[in-house]
């Protein structure tokens, strides 16, 4: 448990900070002492996260971003760094999930899921690496159990999250001697708006997707992955690099 000083003097950026796991992560990092840039496509809701952090005595700022768009990413990161200083922690939490039969999925939906989940994670990493090369840093990406063992009806999502895992390992190797760590978490079913309402194909065989819920059938509290992200981002995890840590109540074991 942190005493609130874990990230003192450090700036963290969290994408997807308007909702679910991203909001929980932004609040957790701020409680642990970070000044937090709350980035999201939903700028108004990200501003609510900022209000929550400030009300608790923390420091935060919000910026609108579409993580799949390089210019938008650069603009948002520059705005946060102008306000809060160089980025030392990045949590890539933004993501989207769409269910479909793979023989019916549109190219547009495929592209959007891969662009947001995989390219967006890369573009965010790329944007903060210059600051981190100068000041040191730690990146935590959010993969998924679906990107570890696969999952029916979400081929683009599973492929994008498998890509996030390998992107994490590739960057961990590349920057291991230059002061930047990269890790990922692979959550099972977490109780967030993403899982609160899902549009399944009409002919969905639910027996095929039961594994995507935690092995004991319980949804995970978003504060748990938030705490894991905070640990991985902190100096307490200084020797943990290039790992993909499941948080799934034994689903992947
Ligand atoms: N909920 C789960 O069961 C679960 C399990 C494994 C992994 N994940 C992953 O965890 C992450 C967080 O998911 P969540 O459950 O909190 O979902 P959520 O829908 O509550 O939050 C996702 C956030 O990402 C934002 N977002 C979407 N597209 C964006 C874009 N292009 N640019 C910037 N922001 C964008 C949304 O506005 C939203 O605020 C996602 O990457 C998701 O794939 C979720």
């Amino acid at each position: 448990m942190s005493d609130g000083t874990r990230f003192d003097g450090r700036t963290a950026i969290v994408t997807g900070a308007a909702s679910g796991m991203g909001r929980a992560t932004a609040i957790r990092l701020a409680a642990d002492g970070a000044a937090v840039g709350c980035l999201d496509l939903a700028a108004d809701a990200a501003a609510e996260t900022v209000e929550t952090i400030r009300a608790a005595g923390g420091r935060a700022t919000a910026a609108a971003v579409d993580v799949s768009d390089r210019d938008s990413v650069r603009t948002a990161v520059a705005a946060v760094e102008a306000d809060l200083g160089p980025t030392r922690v990045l949590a890539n939490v933004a993501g989207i999930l769409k269910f479909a039969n793979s023989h019916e999925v549109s190219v547009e939906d495929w592209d959007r899921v891969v662009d947001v989940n995989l390219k967006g994670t890369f573009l965010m990493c790329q944007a903060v690496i210059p600051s981190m090369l100068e000041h040191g840093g730690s990146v935590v990406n959010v993969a998924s159990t679906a990107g570890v063992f696969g999952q029916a009806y979400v081929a683009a999502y599973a492929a994008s999250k498998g890509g996030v895992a390998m992107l994490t390992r590739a960057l961990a190797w590349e920057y291991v001697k230059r002061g930047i760590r990269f890790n990922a978490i692979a959550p099972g079913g977490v109780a967030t708006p993403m899982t609160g309402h899902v549009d399944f194909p009409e002919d969905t065989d639910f027996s095929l997707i039961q594994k995507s819920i935690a092995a004991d059938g319980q949804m995970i509290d978003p504060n748990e992955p938030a705490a894991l992200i905070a640990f991985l981002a902190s100096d307490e995890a200084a020797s943990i690099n290039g790992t993909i840590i499941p948080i799934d109540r034994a689903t992947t074991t």
Side-chain angles (χ1 to χ4, degrees):
M1 201 50 155
S2 165
D3 63 0
T5 59
R6 206 183 218 175
F7 298 111
D8 261 3
R10 295 188 193 181
T11 295
I13 288 182
V14 180
T15 69
S19 177
M21 243 180 279
R23 173 171 280 174
T25 300
I27 291 170
R28 175 62 197 245
L29 292 175
D32 285 357
V36 183
C38 297
L39 269 52
D40 205 290
L41 202 52
D44 289 350
E48 287 171 27
T49 306
V50 168
E51 286 315 310
T52 303
I53 290 170
R54 288 182 181 162
R59 205 166 153 223
T61 191
V65 75
D66 178 347
V67 294
S68 70
D69 181 297
R70 186 174 180 270
D71 291 341
S72 173
V73 163
R74 298 275 157 132
T75 302
V77 169
V80 170
E81 293 193 339
D83 198 2
L84 302 178
T87 312
R88 300 284 302 279
V89 169
L90 169 65
N92 277 310
V93 192
I96 54 173
L97 169 68
K98 287 187 181 191
F99 279 78
N101 283 301
S102 287
H103 58 282
E104 292 169 342
V105 75
S106 69
V107 172
E108 290 75 18
D109 278 358
W110 171 278
D111 283 348
R112 188 66 188 150
V113 168
V114 175
D115 277 359
V116 172
N117 295 357
L118 180 54
K119 186 169 84 179
T121 299
F122 175 68
L123 290 176
M124 285 300 306
C125 291
Q126 200 183 38
V128 302
I129 284 172
S131 281
M132 291 187 174
L133 283 173
E134 218 175 311
H135 304 280
S138 177
V139 175
V140 185
N141 297 325
V142 176
S144 168
T145 51
V148 177
F149 57 71
Q151 190 181 311
Y153 310 114
V154 292
Y157 182 82
S160 72
K161 293 299 190 177
V164 166
M166 209 41 64
L167 170 67
T168 303
R169 288 195 205 273
L171 294 176
W173 273 113
E174 189 170 339
Y175 292 95
V176 65
K177 294 184 181 174
R178 291 186 272 183
I180 312 176
R181 293 184 299 112
F182 294 82
N183 289 289
I185 67 167
V190 183
T192 68
M194 180 180 277
T195 49
H197 174 79
V198 179
D199 284 327
F200 293 104
E202 267 179 25
D203 56 352
T204 297
D205 177 346
F206 287 96
S207 71
L208 296 178
I209 56 177
Q210 269 163 0
K211 192 170 174 166
S212 56
I213 309 297
D216 63 0
Q218 301 295 310
M219 296 297 277
I220 296 163
D221 184 313
N223 291 307
E224 272 192 62
L228 179 57
I229 289 170
F231 167 69
L232 288 170
S234 76
D235 292 344
E236 292 160 86
S239 300
I240 303 180
N241 192 25
T243 56
I244 318 299
I245 300 189
I247 176 160
D248 65 352
R249 298 176 192 255
T251 308
T252 42
T253 54

